[in-house]
Amino acid sequence: MRAAICTRYGPPSVVEIREVPNPTPKADEVLIRIHATCVNSGDARIRALNVPTGMGPMVRIGFGFTKPRQPILGTDLAGVIEMVGRDVTGFQPGDEVFGSLGLSTGTHAEYVTLPANGAVVPKPAGLTMEESAALIFGGTTALHFLEGDTPLGAGSRILINGASGTVGCASVQLAKALGAHVTAVCSGRNIDLMTSLGADRIIDYNAEDFTSGADRYDIIMDCVGNAPWKRARPRLTERGRLLAISSGLSEMVMAPFVSQKNGQRLVVGVASGNASDLRRLVAMAESGQMKPVIDRTLPFESITEAYDHVDSGRKRGSVVLTLT
């Protein structure tokens, strides 16, 4: 099969498409022929070892010292089940599914195996393979932070910094579905996009710094890593939460201490989608509460171009690769 191999940490050119052996499913696994996958910011950070301050040594320990231990990156997929292991009963060849490998990675390839009881479910009806794949990374991250430790309720006020990215687009839609008042921070060119997703107020960061205003929010969700605790805390309500999606080591160390100091909290962590999250996304997609936002769709052979665009920091929603 064809797979995009990350030969070392570095620029997009370190990723090469090569022929590698097809995986074989174990007794409890399914073999999926991938039709669509995404190049997300997480993939780009691992490829370049471009991680928040202080996290480099930890990432090298977890992923590999000089190059990724798992050379095939990618977490999200939509495709068709090609084969099932002998103990699998919930799926059969021909089923259209979508799923996530999480931190394991491996979806930048033509085939992948997944545990049948893992993060793989029937894909949303009415969505293409590309649209289904584009739901996953942003959607599961939004669910983790907005319906997990810090549930967002009706009438809450949330500001989403970096609202036009993959996670931001999903978070705007989920927050609106939960009844919140949403302020989206993005560049001026993305105002129409934020309006279409339901944002109540939009701040162009080129014209206004949200941290210098007088408004306060129950939740500030920082999707880009430029609104640390010291900068964002004054804009939180008395029991407000800063969700540091791109947190560095200092935020991780600081979180339990600042959270005990007063009613405000700094929330950090890593989202990892599961089957329950995927089924929630299916329901939201089929009801019209969540729609995928795709910046561009490229053939698998153009994965270097996809990484270039993600690295630019100007993508809107997801960059999708097609493999069929």
Side-chain angles (χ1 to χ4, degrees), residues 77-95:
L77 69 96
V80 176
I81 291 182
E82 188 105 342
M83 183 187 305
V84 300
R86 65 175 182 272
D87 296 337
V88 175
T89 58
F91 295 101
Q92 60 185 2
D95 287 347

Side-chain angles (χ1 to χ4, degrees), residues 142-162:
L143 288 171
H144 174 85
F145 282 96
L146 298 183
E147 288 193 339
D149 294 336
T150 309
L152 186 66
S156 299
R157 293 179 60 85
I158 180 173
L159 178 140
I160 300 173
N161 184 40

Side-chain angles (χ1 to χ4, degrees), residues 49-277:
L49 201 66
N50 179 19
V51 294
T53 303
M55 296 297 292
M58 297 175 63
V59 172
R60 287 183 188 272
I61 291 171
F63 288 92
F65 283 94
T66 61
K67 61 182 179 180
R69 192 173 294 112
Q70 158 58 295
I72 304 174
L73 302 181
T75 60
D76 310 328
L77 69 96
V80 176
I81 291 182
E82 188 105 342
M83 183 187 305
V84 300
R86 65 175 182 272
D87 296 337
V88 175
T89 58
F91 295 101
Q92 60 185 2
D95 287 347
E96 294 186 339
V97 296
F98 79 144
S100 173
L101 269 67
L103 294 177
S104 299
T105 75
T107 65
H108 291 169
E110 289 185 304
Y111 292 92
V112 73
T113 57
L114 267 171
N117 62 354
V120 55
V121 301
K123 80 172 187 65
L127 294 191
T128 65
M129 291 289 186
E130 293 79 9
E131 291 168 334
S132 298
L135 277 179
I136 301 170
F137 180 74
T140 55
T141 304
L143 288 171
H144 174 85
F145 282 96
L146 298 183
E147 288 193 339
D149 294 336
T150 309
L152 186 66
S156 299
R157 293 179 60 85
I158 180 173
L159 178 140
I160 300 173
N161 184 40
S164 60
T166 305
V167 174
C169 286
S171 298
V172 168
Q173 295 178 83
L174 177 59
K176 288 303 299 179
L178 296 173
H181 180 281
V182 178
T183 297
V185 180
C186 61
S187 67
R189 74 188 186 95
N190 292 318
I191 289 176
D192 289 345
L193 171 62
M194 292 298 102
T195 301
S196 72
L197 297 181
D200 299 286
R201 182 184 175 212
I202 303 165
I203 296 176
D204 178 357
Y205 62 73
N206 291 308
E208 179 182 350
D209 178 2
F210 79 86
T211 65
S212 64
D215 291 332
R216 291 179 179 265
Y217 305 91
D218 301 299
I219 292 176
I220 293 176
M221 188 176 195
D222 181 20
C223 300
V224 291
N226 63 5
W229 176 253
K230 184 177 181 180
R231 182 172 176 236
R233 187 192 63 77
R235 301 278 66 81
L236 292 173
T237 58
E238 183 178 349
R239 300 186 63 81
R241 306 289 190 259
L242 170 61
L243 311 183
I245 310 301
S246 299
S247 57
L249 183 60
S250 60
E251 285 86 359
M252 291 187 176
V253 172
M254 183 193 305
F257 299 100
V258 299
S259 297
Q260 293 173 1
K261 186 176 180 181
N262 53 45
Q264 297 172 329
R265 284 184 57 199
L266 170 60
V267 180
V268 299
V270 178
S272 182
N274 53 44
S276 178
D277 289 339

